[in-house]
């Protein structure tokens, strides 16, 4: 069944139906456009959200960068950014494959429909014109035939009339004959016009305009159906990638390792100080054996007095250890001398940065502090990072050295480039004046010298910190060869010579070991818990006391490991 057969007379209905179909296509295109706008806005909001919470603005050297929770959050933001990209791809494909394609196809349909309708309208107008002519010839034939009948009747009547003359009869017959001839011509004209009309009508049916319009409408419906399918298939095609984005977010969550994060926090923030031991009760009723010093377990001072005394120094919570258990006792090297900022230097040691770190570590634990507000005071930032705990200081010094090395390498490369350019200018004066590079070469050389000086300075400080960490923190074989100090270095040579050449001095008191001390480092002496030793030299404020055994062996021991009684 087709429209040409069943709807041959419903031209207006067909025109209205096809117009409604085109409007449906336009409406669907508009719908898809609004959907793409929603997708684009959604993707834009996702990207802005990802950018807003992206922590990449924090430097890579920040502590948070090593935390798995931090890295997983960054991965989630990256995956969400990729997810937003897929939403944008959906919008783009819908716009290209549905909106633009259907809009173009719709314009073609409109032109084709317009052509068919104009053809049908033209055929209809031609048929109507032919029909009017047919109707006109038919009416004329009808009128002339009636006149011919009347003329024939009049001629017959005249012929039968006895009163009519022969001339009247002849005239009436001629008139009837003429009318009959005219009627016959009108009949022929009518027949010819009828044949023409039927031919026009048959031609109109043979045009199959209705059938063509039907085919056009069916193609429109088929194309629209494909657009419906693309609406869902466009999103289906990116679903695997979206699924991977979601899987990536899930994987980011499973990659979080809370234990590892805890270890990272410890590694990044540990000070390197030992935990403080308990402060022993001193019974004054039994008499005072010796005057208390800041480096031994003397009478605890009050919090305000202690903070007032150390107001100008770096103060760390849990930074001093008064007593170390034998199981955690580290090997000690030569007793360090205090830095000038912490008192007069020891007579046996030069002014060495190592002394300050060891002094800070070996001082006795401070009494309890009633409030933590005093601990929030920011220490004065120093160039050699002495305001930082030992472990953090070591890391910061290493980072500083790496920065200086990179800058130094950059200046060296620039110096080499300037040297090559100068050689080229000298060989080819037309390319440039070698003298014009003198200021740059001089400036680069000064920068290189300055950076080498800084490199040497910080290397010396780093070595001092490495010595300190080696002596205070139990590295043993874990200390790398690059950071392990050489015991034969000159830092101990002066001490060994002085110690050997010095004559035995009279003891000034005695001490009893509260803990065992291995005395594995040069300049120190081992002792066992409960052992009594003679005090040769009192603690000068650096946390070390010089003692002697009965067999004449002398060396340094931690002041906080013994109870001392000075002779009066």
């Amino acid at each position: 069944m087709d429209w040409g057969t069943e709807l041959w007379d419903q031209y207006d209905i067909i025109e209205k139906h096809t117009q409604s179909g085109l409007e449906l296509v336009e409406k669907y295109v508009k719908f898809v456009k609004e959907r793409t706008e929603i997708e684009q806005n959604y993707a834009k909001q996702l990207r802005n959200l990802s950018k807003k919470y992206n922590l990449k603005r924090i430097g890579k050297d920040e502590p948070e960068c090593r935390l798995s929770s931090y890295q997983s959050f960054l991965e989630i933001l990256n995956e969400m950014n990729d997810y937003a990209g897929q939403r944008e791809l959906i919008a783009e494909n819908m716009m290209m494959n549905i909106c633009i394609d259907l809009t173009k196809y719709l314009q073609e349909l409109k032109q084709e429909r317009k052509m068919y309708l104009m053809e049908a309208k033209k055929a209809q107008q031609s048929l109507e014109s032919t029909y009017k002519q047919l109707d006109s010839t038919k009416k004329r034939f009808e009128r002339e035939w009636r006149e011919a009948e009347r003329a024939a009747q009049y001629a017959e009547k005249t012929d039968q009339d006895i009163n009519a003359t022969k001339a009247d009869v002849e005239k009436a017959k001629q008139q009837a004959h003429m009318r009959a001839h005219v009627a016959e011509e009108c009949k022929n004209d009518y027949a010819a016009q009828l044949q023409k009309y039927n031919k026009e009508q048959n031609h109109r049916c043979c045009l199959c305009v209705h059938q063509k319009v039907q085919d056009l409408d069916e193609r429109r419906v088929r194309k629209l159906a494909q657009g419906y399918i693309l609406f869902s298939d466009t999103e289906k095609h990116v679903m695997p990638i979206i699924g991977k984005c979601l899987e990536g977010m899930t994987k980011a969550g499973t990659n979080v390792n809370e234990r590892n994060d805890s270890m990272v926090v410890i590694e990044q923030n540990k000070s390197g100080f030992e935990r403080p031991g308990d402060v022993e009760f001193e019974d004054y009723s039994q008499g005072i054996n010796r005057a208390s010093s800041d480096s031994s377990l003397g009478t605890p001072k009050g919090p305000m007095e202690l903070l007032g005394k150390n107001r100008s120094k770096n103060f760390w919570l849990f930074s001093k250890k008064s007593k170390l258990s034998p199981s955690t006792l580290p090997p000690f090297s030569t007793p360090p001398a205090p830095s000038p900022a912490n008192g007069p230097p020891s007579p046996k040691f030069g002014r060495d940065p190592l002394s300050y770190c060891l002094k800070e570590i070996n001082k006795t634990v401070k009494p309890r502090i009633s409030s933590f507000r005093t601990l929030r005071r920011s220490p004065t930032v120093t160039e050699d990072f002495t305001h930082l705990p030992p472990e953090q200081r070591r890391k910061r010094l290493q980072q500083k050295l790496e920065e200086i090395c990179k800058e130094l390498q950059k200046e060296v490369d620039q110096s080499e480039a300037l040297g090559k350019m100068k050689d080229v200018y000298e060989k080819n004066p037309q390319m440039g004046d070698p003298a014009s590079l003198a200021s740059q070469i001089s400036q680069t050389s000064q920068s290189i010298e300055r950076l080498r000086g800084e490199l040497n300075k910080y290397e010396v400080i780093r070595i001092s910190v490495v010595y300190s960490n080696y002596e205070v923190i139990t590295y043993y074989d874990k200390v790398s060869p690059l950071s392990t100090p050489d015991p034969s270095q000159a830092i101990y040579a002066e001490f060994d010579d002085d110690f050997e050449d010095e004559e035995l001095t009279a003891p000034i008191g005695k001490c009893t070991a509260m803990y065992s001390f291995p005395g594995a480092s040069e300049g120190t002496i081992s002792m066992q818990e409960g052992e009594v030793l003679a005090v040769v030299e009192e603690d000068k404020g650096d946390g070390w006391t010089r003692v002697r055994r009965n067999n004449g062996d002398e060396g340094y021991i931690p002041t906080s490991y013994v109870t001392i009684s000075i002779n009066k």
Side-chain angles (χ1 to χ4, degrees):
M1 299 177 68
D2 54 56
W3 291 2
T5 302
E6 304 298 334
L7 301 178
W8 64 272
D9 58 344
Q10 300 297 330
Y11 174 82
D12 294 338
I13 297 298
I14 292 175
E15 182 181 14
K16 184 178 180 180
H17 170 75
T18 53
Q19 179 62 31
S20 177
L22 296 178
E23 291 175 355
L24 177 61
V25 176
E26 291 178 342
K27 184 178 294 185
Y28 180 66
V29 170
K30 185 178 179 181
F31 162 75
V32 176
K33 282 184 178 179
E34 293 187 7
R35 165 67 189 278
T36 58
E37 291 175 359
I38 292 174
E39 290 289 350
Q40 290 171 347
N41 291 333
Y42 178 48
K44 182 178 180 180
Q45 291 176 359
L46 287 179
R47 288 193 183 277
N48 290 337
L49 183 64
S50 177
K51 183 177 180 181
K52 177 181 178 181
Y53 285 93
N54 200 324
L55 304 178
K56 288 184 178 179
R57 291 172 294 179
I58 301 178
K60 293 183 178 180
D61 295 332
E62 292 295 326
E64 292 84 355
C65 294
R66 294 181 56 191
L67 299 178
S68 61
S69 55
Y70 172 90
Q71 294 294 337
S72 294
F73 183 50
L74 286 183
E75 291 176 8
I76 289 176
L77 294 177
N78 291 335
E79 292 293 349
M80 189 173 71
N81 199 55
D82 294 342
Y83 178 85
Q86 296 307 310
R87 307 311 305 189
E88 291 175 341
L89 184 61
I90 290 175
E92 181 181 351
N93 290 339
M94 283 187 175
M95 180 61 69
M96 294 296 297
N97 300 332
I98 298 179
C99 296
I100 295 179
D101 186 55
L102 275 183
T103 300
K104 182 180 179 181
Y105 186 74
L106 182 63
Q107 296 301 324
E108 295 175 356
L109 286 182
K110 287 182 177 180
Q111 292 295 330
E112 187 177 356
R113 174 179 175 274
K114 182 179 180 181
M115 181 183 66
Y116 290 154
L117 292 181
M118 287 181 64
E119 185 179 353
K121 188 175 182 179
K122 185 178 179 180
Q124 183 68 22
Q125 290 175 351
S126 177
L127 185 63
E128 289 177 356
S129 176
T130 304
Y131 180 78
K132 287 180 180 179
Q133 294 178 3
L134 174 64
D135 186 61
S136 176
T137 55
K138 177 182 177 181
K139 288 179 179 179
R140 184 182 175 189
F141 167 64
E142 181 182 4
R143 184 174 63 252
E144 293 297 333
W145 180 252
R146 288 176 183 177
E147 291 292 333
E149 284 183 346
R150 283 197 295 269
Q153 291 175 1
Y154 180 73
E156 184 179 355
K157 184 178 179 180
T158 302
D159 184 45
Q160 293 177 1
D161 188 0
I162 57 173
N163 297 321
T165 62
K166 185 177 180 179
D168 291 337
V169 173
E170 188 64 27
K171 182 178 179 180
K173 287 182 178 181
Q174 290 179 357
Q175 185 70 22
H177 179 72
M178 183 185 67
R179 289 290 180 183
H181 179 71
V182 172
E184 188 65 25
E185 289 181 352
C186 289
K187 179 180 179 181
N188 293 335
D189 290 342
Y190 170 63
Q193 194 64 34
L194 180 62
Q195 185 179 3
K196 182 179 178 181
Y197 173 78
N198 290 333
K199 185 178 180 180
E200 283 284 341
Q201 184 167 269
N202 291 333
H203 175 69
R204 177 177 176 271
C205 293
C206 291
L207 287 176
C208 300
V209 175
H210 287 55
Q211 187 63 34
K212 293 179 181 179
V213 175
Q214 179 183 359
D215 179 67
L216 179 146
D217 192 69
E218 289 178 355
R219 284 188 282 114
R220 171 194 64 82
V221 174
R222 188 161 55 251
K223 187 70 173 180
L224 187 59
Q226 294 175 358
Y228 291 163
I229 296 173
L230 282 174
F231 186 77
S232 60
D233 286 349
T234 301
E235 188 164 357
K236 285 181 180 179
H237 290 161
V238 301
M239 286 304 294
I241 303 178
I242 290 178
K244 290 182 179 179
C245 293
L246 298 177
E247 289 176 2
M249 296 181 186
T250 302
K251 185 178 179 181
T254 57
N255 287 341
V256 175
N257 188 326
E258 64 278 5
R259 184 61 182 172
N260 181 70
D261 284 4
S262 297
M263 299 304 296
V264 169
V265 172
I266 292 174
E267 179 65 23
Q268 290 177 342
N269 299 283
K270 65 181 179 180
S271 66
F273 293 130
E274 295 291 339
R275 293 183 60 182
D278 296 336
V279 178
E280 297 293 338
F281 174 77
E282 296 190 12
D283 191 353
Y284 287 94
S285 62
Q286 301 300 323
I288 301 177
N289 293 329
R290 62 182 292 268
S292 300
S293 65
D294 292 339
S295 60
S296 63
L297 289 176
T299 305
K301 296 178 175 56
M304 298 309 295
E305 178 184 358
L306 181 62
L307 293 177
K309 181 178 180 180
N310 293 278
R311 191 178 303 276
S312 62
K313 299 180 180 179
N314 299 327
F315 184 77
W316 305 99
L317 182 62
F318 311 132
S319 64
K320 280 70 179 177
K321 181 174 179 67
S322 60
K323 297 183 181 181
L324 302 177
S325 62
S327 60
T328 60
L329 188 61
F332 282 78
S333 295
T334 306
S339 62
N342 292 288
S346 171
K348 297 297 177 183
F349 306 101
R351 298 174 179 266
D352 183 33
L354 171 62
S355 61
Y356 179 73
C357 294
L358 293 180
K359 177 183 175 182
E360 289 295 316
I361 295 173
N362 287 281
K363 283 184 179 179
T364 56
V365 66
K366 304 300 181 183
R368 294 190 183 94
I369 299 175
S370 57
S371 173
F372 281 95
R373 295 177 184 174
T374 56
L375 301 180
R376 297 178 183 175
R377 299 173 182 168
S378 299
T380 303
V381 178
T382 57
E383 186 179 7
D384 57 354
F385 306 109
T386 54
H387 63 286
L388 297 175
E391 184 68 17
Q392 302 304 319
R393 185 187 182 197
R394 181 187 63 79
K395 293 180 180 179
R396 189 66 184 89
L397 285 170
Q398 185 64 32
Q399 180 182 354
K400 184 67 175 180
L401 284 172
E402 292 175 357
E403 293 174 357
I404 295 175
C405 287
K406 290 180 181 178
E407 189 174 354
L408 179 59
Q409 184 60 44
K410 182 179 178 181
E411 294 294 335
V412 170
D413 294 341
Q414 184 176 356
S415 177
E416 293 178 355
L418 289 173
K420 293 179 180 179
M421 188 179 297
K422 182 180 179 181
D423 293 340
V424 173
Y425 286 176
E426 289 176 349
K427 296 178 181 179
N428 303 282
Q430 67 276 9
M431 298 184 66
D433 183 12
S436 63
L437 302 175
S439 60
Q440 298 182 37
I441 293 176
S442 176
Q443 184 178 359
T444 304
S445 299
Q446 293 176 4
S447 299
I448 291 175
E449 291 301 324
R450 176 181 58 82
L451 291 172
R452 284 176 177 171
E454 291 184 5
L455 186 64
N456 292 334
K457 179 182 69 174
Y458 281 102
E459 183 64 26
V460 170
I461 297 174
R462 187 188 70 83
I463 292 175
S464 299
V465 174
V466 170
Y467 271 108
S468 174
N469 288 347
Y470 179 77
E471 293 170 358
V472 178
I473 304 174
T474 309
Y475 276 99
Y476 294 105
D477 295 334
K478 295 182 181 179
V479 180
S480 67
L482 294 179
S483 61
T484 303
D486 185 0
S488 62
Q489 288 182 349
I491 188 172
Y492 298 113
E494 180 184 354
F495 169 78
D496 293 339
D497 295 340
D498 292 343
F499 190 79
E500 291 174 359
D501 296 341
E502 185 180 358
E503 295 182 358
L504 296 179
T505 57
I508 60 174
K510 64 179 180 178
C511 64
T512 303
M514 296 185 295
Y515 303 99
S516 297
F517 177 65
S521 302
E522 292 186 50
T524 62
I525 186 173
S526 63
M527 64 178 178
Q528 301 297 325
E529 183 178 356
E531 184 178 357
V532 178
L533 302 170
V535 177
V536 178
E537 184 180 313
E538 192 177 3
D539 187 352
K540 300 298 184 180
D542 57 4
W544 295 90
T545 299
R546 186 175 173 185
V547 298
R548 182 191 303 153
R549 281 200 182 91
N550 293 333
N551 59 4
D553 293 339
E554 289 188 11
Y556 284 89
I557 59 171
T559 304
S560 58
Y561 280 39
V562 294
T563 56
I564 301 175
S565 176
I566 303 299
N567 297 333
K568 296 183 180 180

